[in-house]
Amino acid sequence: MTVCLSLHFRGGSMFLTLLMLLVLPALQAKSPTLSSEGLFSLSDSGASSASITTFSRILGAYEKQFLAVTGFTRGDAPPVVVILHPSIESTPSLPALRVDVMEGGAPRVCLDLLEGGDTGSKNRQLIATSLLLREYYGTSAPESGALIPLFPSWVTYGLGRLCTPTSSVVAIPAGYLHGDAPPEIEAFLIQRPPDERDHTLSDLYEAMAASLLKAGLQSNGGNAFRDWVSHHDPAAKSSGSIPVWPPGWEMRSVERRWLLLMAGNQGGESRTTTLMGAAETLAAYDSLISSLPTAGHSIGLLRKEKGADYLIEQCNERVGALRFRANPMALPLLDGTILFLAKLKRMPEKKIAPAEADLLALRAEILKRSREIDHYLDWYEAAKLPVRSGLFDRHLESPESIVKKGPVGRYLDAIEARGW
C-alpha cells in the first residue's frame, strides 16, 4: 500500500511539472496594452519593460493630439497594432507598416517599430499614416489583392509633427516678407521629403508641412479633411491613389494662411523669453501698479506705509523684471518709475505728486503713440504687403455703385428705349 501511494504521488508530480512547463511560457507572455483612447494596441517582441513603458506614454500623448488636431472621434475601428522590437533586431525592413484582415473580416493595421527610434521623423510619419489608415478603413477590411492607399507625404509628415508634443520649434525662412517670391502650394505638394539623416532639411520640411496642414484645418477645414480621409468603399476597387489635395480646401485661401503661419513661426520655444507688445507691456505695468496697497494705488504713498523700505524694494524689483520683457516703447516709463522709486525716500513731499503725474502723462503718451503705430501697420499690411492676413479684405473691396436717376434721367431712358 505504501509503495502504491509513493508511485502514484511520483507520477502526479511529474505530470504537474510537465503541465507547468507547458503553461508557464503562455502565462509569462505579456498581453497587448490598449492605449487610453483605444487607438493603439501595444505589444512587445522582446523589448525592455522600460522601453515599453516610455513608448506607451508616447503613444498616449500622440493619440490625444491626433484626435484634437483632426477632430476624429475614437470610433469603432480596431486599434492599430504596434509591435515594439528590440534594438538588436535592427534590419532594413524595420520600421514597417502593413494592413491585413483579421478573423471575422475586420481590418488590421500593424506597425512594426524598433526600440529606441520613437523620436525619429520616419517613425512619426508611420504612426500618423497608421492612424489615417485606421480611419480610412474603419470596420471594413480591404478586399484581397486591393492596393493600400498612399497618403501624400506632406500630410503624414505634417501630422506626425503636429501630433508630437515634444517636437522642437523650427524657424522657417520667411524672406517673402522682405520682397522675395513666396513659396507656392503647388510646388510644395510635389516636393519629395528629404532624407531623414539630413536633420536640418527634414525638420524644415516637417515644419512647413505641419504649418500647411494646420492652415488647411482652420476655418472649418476639418470636415473636408475628415471626409477626404474616410472614404473607403468596400464595394469599389481601390486604385491605391488618394488626391494630393483635400477636395473642399480653397487653395489660395489656405496658401495665405500657410504663409502667415510660417512667418509667425520665427520665435523660440515657449520657454524662451520674448519681448511683449506695447499694449501688453502697459497692461502688465497697470496690473503691477494696481496691486500696490496704497490709497488710489499711488506709488508716492508707499513711503508712508508700514514696512516702506521692503514695499519700495519689492516694487522696484517687479518693475525691473518687467523691463527685461518690455516693449522698447515702454522703456522710458519703466526707467522713470525705477528712478522715482530710488529717490522716493529722500524726495521732498511737494515734488512727489508732480513726479507721479509726469509718469501718468508719459504712460498716456506711450499708449497714444503705440495705437498710432498699430493703425499705420494695419494700413501698411492692407496696402503694401504682398501677403495679407485677410483681416482687411472686406474693407478693401470696392462697393458696387448704385446709379440713382431722377425724373429727367428716367424720361431720357424711356425715349432711348423707344429708339428715338
Side-chain angles (χ1 to χ4, degrees):
M1 187 69 176
T2 304
V3 175
C4 290
L5 285 173
S6 177
L7 289 173
H8 179 73
F9 177 77
R10 188 179 301 162
S13 63
M14 291 177 63
F15 174 75
L16 289 174
T17 303
L18 181 60
L19 183 63
M20 290 177 65
L21 290 175
L22 294 174
V23 173
L24 274 178
L27 293 176
Q28 291 174 353
K30 298 178 181 178
S31 59
T33 304
L34 193 65
S35 58
S36 57
E37 301 294 337
L39 272 59
F40 295 105
S41 175
L42 178 60
S43 303
D44 73 281
S45 181
S48 65
S49 58
S51 298
I52 291 292
T53 302
T54 301
F55 195 63
S56 178
R57 293 172 181 168
I58 292 174
L59 292 179
Y62 198 104
E63 64 181 357
K64 287 182 173 64
Q65 285 291 108
F66 175 81
L67 296 176
V69 168
T70 63
F72 281 113
T73 58
R74 298 183 187 183
D76 300 326
V80 175
V81 178
V82 181
I83 302 176
L84 191 62
H85 297 263
S87 56
I88 58 174
E89 294 184 12
S90 178
T91 62
S93 61
L94 292 177
L97 177 63
R98 61 184 187 274
V99 179
D100 50 31
V101 184
M102 294 189 295
E103 185 177 353
R108 181 176 183 265
V109 181
C110 187
L111 184 58
D112 292 271
L113 299 177
L114 202 60
E115 180 183 15
D118 46 85
T119 57
S121 61
K122 183 64 176 178
N123 276 15
R124 291 197 294 266
Q125 184 255 349
L126 285 176
I127 294 174
T129 305
S130 69
L131 288 177
L132 291 177
L133 287 174
R134 176 183 180 271
E135 298 297 336
Y136 176 82
Y137 286 112
T139 56
S140 303
E143 295 291 332
S144 177
L147 296 175
I148 305 302
L150 183 64
F151 288 96
S153 299
W154 69 270
V155 174
T156 55
Y157 277 90
L159 186 59
R161 175 165 284 270
L162 287 179
C163 295
T164 307
T166 57
S167 294
S168 58
V169 176
V170 177
I172 304 174
Y176 51 88
L177 293 178
H178 307 289
D180 295 345
E184 298 178 348
I185 286 182
E186 290 89 347
F188 185 75
L189 295 183
I190 62 175
Q191 181 178 335
R192 295 183 61 183
D195 194 319
E196 185 183 10
R197 292 170 293 185
D198 192 336
H199 298 292
T200 302
L201 291 179
S202 180
D203 289 345
L204 179 59
Y205 178 85
E206 266 194 342
M208 293 180 69
S211 297
L212 179 55
L213 182 59
K214 188 175 181 180
L217 290 171
Q218 291 177 357
S219 300
N220 300 321
N223 292 330
F225 178 81
R226 289 188 290 273
D227 291 340
W228 176 63
V229 172
S230 308
H231 72 287
H232 174 56
D233 184 3
K237 188 174 181 180
S238 175
S239 63
S241 63
I242 289 182
V244 72
W245 186 251
W249 282 12
E250 203 283 310
M251 188 171 287
R252 297 283 75 86
S253 177
V254 173
E255 185 177 67
R256 182 173 55 196
R257 293 195 296 268
W258 179 46
L259 295 176
L260 290 170
L261 282 174
M262 291 192 295
N265 195 24
Q266 305 301 307
E269 300 180 19
S270 59
R271 296 186 296 268
T272 304
T273 301
T274 56
L275 289 180
M276 305 165 70
E280 189 181 4
T281 304
L282 292 178
Y285 178 82
D286 293 343
S287 176
L288 189 154
I289 298 301
S290 64
S291 65
L292 297 179
T294 55
H297 307 295
S298 170
I299 300 177
L301 295 180
L302 279 176
R303 68 177 189 173
K304 296 183 179 181
E305 293 289 319
K306 185 178 180 180
D309 292 338
Y310 172 74
L311 292 176
I312 293 174
E313 182 182 0
Q314 187 182 46
C315 183
N316 203 349
E317 290 178 355
R318 293 179 64 188
V319 176
L322 176 60
R323 192 185 187 282
F324 284 109
R325 297 188 57 199
N327 187 274
M329 288 189 62
L331 292 182
L333 175 63
L334 299 179
D335 291 339
T337 304
I338 292 173
L339 183 61
F340 179 52
L341 288 168
K343 296 180 178 179
L344 184 58
K345 291 289 290 184
R346 305 184 305 273
M347 186 177 293
E349 185 70 27
K350 62 180 180 180
K351 293 186 178 180
I352 292 179
E356 196 163 4
D358 290 342
L359 290 177
L360 291 175
L362 181 58
R363 180 203 172 280
E365 177 62 26
I366 292 174
L367 179 61
K368 177 185 176 183
R369 195 181 313 159
S370 69
R371 287 175 175 172
E372 291 174 350
I373 292 175
D374 288 340
H375 293 159
Y376 172 78
L377 291 176
D378 289 345
W379 167 84
Y380 186 83
E381 179 182 346
K384 297 293 184 181
L385 282 184
V387 180
R388 297 196 297 266
S389 65
L391 297 175
F392 310 103
D393 288 356
R394 181 170 55 87
H395 303 288
L396 295 175
E397 293 178 355
S398 300
E400 295 182 4
S401 59
I402 301 176
V403 180
K404 296 183 178 180
K405 298 180 180 180
V408 176
R410 290 194 294 270
Y411 177 73
L412 293 176
D413 288 344
I415 293 176
E416 186 178 352
R418 294 173 187 169
W420 293 0

